[in-house]
Amino acid sequence: MADRICSLSTSGMTSKQQIQCWIDALTDLCGKFDVDPLEASSLEGRINHTGVSRLKLCQIEVSQHRIAHTTSSSGLSDHPFVKILFQTYGVSYFEQDGRHIELTPGDCLAYDVSCPHTIVSPAFTRHEVVIVPKELLHERGFRFHKMSACKLSARTGTGRIAHDFVHAAFDEAAKLSPNSAAGVADTLIDLLLLPLREADTIVDCSGPEAMYVRAQFFIREHLRDPDLCIDQISAELGCSKRYLHMLFSERGTTVSDYIWQARLQNCRQELEMHAGKTITDVAFSWGFSSSSHFSRVFRKYFGVVPSSIHKAQHPSLPTAAR
């Protein structure tokens, strides 16, 4: 199963212990920071965090404080993350590269943790955070040299969808198998990048990386279509089938393999989490047109038959329902 939810609280500690505890917690999550409780006599905080594949999901609430990452405190390699922060309560003030950004409930901030920055919260705040290793974004067309902090809205549109998915992923993380967690993490990264892509902040709009990202998104949006094929994808993207084959072969796979592997990951996730669906229902809902073919490729990919997954997760179901 995926990581369990871990909790940390500074309650009952001395002021010095609270600050050190918070520094240690941040170091474990994404790198070392300076922590200052401002004029308060204590730092009351709580962090709940878990992992979904290689992503870290956090729910943080803390009294007034200031955190800072400076060039003198550690090297860039110690903070190789991009952080997506959803402000859910209170007001915070972010500063990086001379830019000053105010965060209120409903705001989302995406930024490069390795670049020196400060966050000041003059009163109690809550936020939900996704910590994303940079290497996971590189293959999706991430432009590190052009990444600057970006404030977005999580009140409507793609920002709200991304936040809702983050919240649901946190609640369900401990129930996911490693394979399901990997699929959820991929979907989560794609959702988090949607509002950033709309803001044109981190993804190059031209070149093979951008085309590969567009192909990934189109495929994942049409996975349930049994007629999804390379002709349809190349027509949508306005590129040749040969070029599309080249994009995927350079990454060690084929277009068809990427499609059926993505379908299989979604099928396994549904078999593990939805007791009311039969194996055939799940397979057909994700674009497979033959239950025997589905069982064959499922066993080849995961090393087990789909019925064993369904039975293990839902042992009380009658045989016919499996």
Side-chain angles (χ1 to χ4, degrees):
M1 301 299 284
D3 294 352
R4 62 185 179 86
I5 294 176
C6 300
S7 297
L8 175 148
S9 172
T10 64
S11 179
M13 299 179 181
T14 66
S15 179
K16 186 175 181 180
Q17 289 172 335
Q18 289 176 329
I19 294 172
Q20 188 58 55
C21 176
W22 209 249
I23 290 174
D24 292 343
L26 295 179
T27 300
D28 289 342
L29 290 171
C30 58
K32 189 173 182 179
F33 293 83
D34 298 327
V35 177
D36 180 1
L38 302 177
E39 299 176 354
S41 59
S42 64
L43 181 72
E44 300 293 336
R46 176 184 295 275
I47 298 178
N48 296 322
H49 65 92
T50 188
V52 176
S53 189
R54 295 172 64 191
L55 302 180
K56 298 176 185 177
L57 277 58
C58 313
Q59 295 179 340
I60 302 173
E61 57 180 39
V62 59
S63 59
Q64 67 180 75
H65 73 293
R66 173 184 181 271
I67 66 169
H69 164 48
T70 62
T71 52
S72 61
S73 63
S74 81
L76 297 180
S77 61
D78 295 327
H79 300 70
F81 304 103
V82 166
K83 185 181 286 188
I84 314 292
L85 183 151
F86 297 93
Q87 191 88 6
T88 60
Y89 186 89
V91 179
S92 297
Y93 299 93
F94 175 88
E95 190 277 327
Q96 187 178 60
D97 292 332
R99 297 184 62 210
H100 298 266
I101 299 174
E102 179 181 4
L103 300 170
T104 61
D107 288 337
C108 171
L109 180 70
Y111 63 98
D112 186 341
V113 184
S114 67
C115 296
H117 63 278
T118 63
I119 303 177
V120 176
S121 300
F124 178 82
T125 53
R126 290 195 190 101
H127 46 266
E128 298 182 2
V129 174
V130 182
I131 300 170
V132 186
K134 286 183 177 180
E135 58 264 29
L136 296 184
L137 300 180
H138 179 73
E139 64 188 39
R140 288 169 164 82
F142 190 93
R143 296 183 301 182
F144 294 106
H145 62 291
K146 294 184 179 180
M147 174 65 176
S148 58
C150 180
K151 176 181 173 180
L152 304 157
S153 173
R155 300 175 184 87
T156 59
T158 54
R160 180 174 179 179
I161 293 171
H163 182 220
D164 289 347
F165 194 90
V166 168
H167 195 80
F170 185 93
D171 289 342
E172 300 298 324
K175 304 173 187 176
L176 301 175
S177 70
N179 281 307
S180 292
V184 169
D186 283 341
T187 302
L188 183 52
I189 293 173
D190 291 342
L191 281 172
L192 290 169
L193 290 182
L194 273 174
L196 293 171
R197 180 172 290 105
E198 289 181 352
D200 191 26
T201 57
I202 66 171
V203 178
D204 196 344
C205 295
S206 62
E209 289 289 353
M211 188 65 76
Y212 179 66
V213 170
R214 289 176 59 198
Q216 283 183 307
F217 269 86
F218 183 82
I219 289 171
R220 290 189 175 276
E221 288 175 354
H222 296 81
L223 275 179
R224 294 184 185 273
D225 179 3
D227 297 321
L228 178 63
C229 63
I230 191 168
D231 298 82
Q232 183 182 357
I233 301 165
S234 62
E236 174 66 24
L237 270 58
C239 67
S240 68
K241 292 187 288 185
R242 181 178 180 180
Y243 183 67
L244 201 56
H245 278 303
M246 181 270 293
L247 290 178
F248 282 79
S249 65
E250 286 182 347
R251 292 160 177 81
T253 187
T254 66
V255 177
S256 59
D257 282 351
Y258 183 89
I259 291 172
W260 71 255
Q261 287 173 8
R263 283 173 170 163
L264 287 171
Q265 289 170 354
N266 281 280
C267 287
R268 176 162 183 157
Q269 183 177 337
E270 284 205 19
L271 289 174
E272 291 177 337
M273 301 184 67
H274 298 286
K277 294 185 178 181
T278 67
I279 292 173
T280 301
D281 288 340
V282 170
F284 278 51
S285 72
W286 283 105
F288 288 95
S289 55
S290 164
S291 56
S292 59
H293 174 250
F294 167 69
S295 295
R296 258 195 328 273
V297 295
F298 189 98
R299 181 171 186 172
K300 180 180 178 181
Y301 187 59
F302 292 113
V304 295
V305 294
S307 58
S308 66
I309 300 293
H310 209 226
K311 182 177 180 180
Q313 297 298 323
H314 315 293
S316 62
L317 288 180
T319 303
R322 299 181 186 137

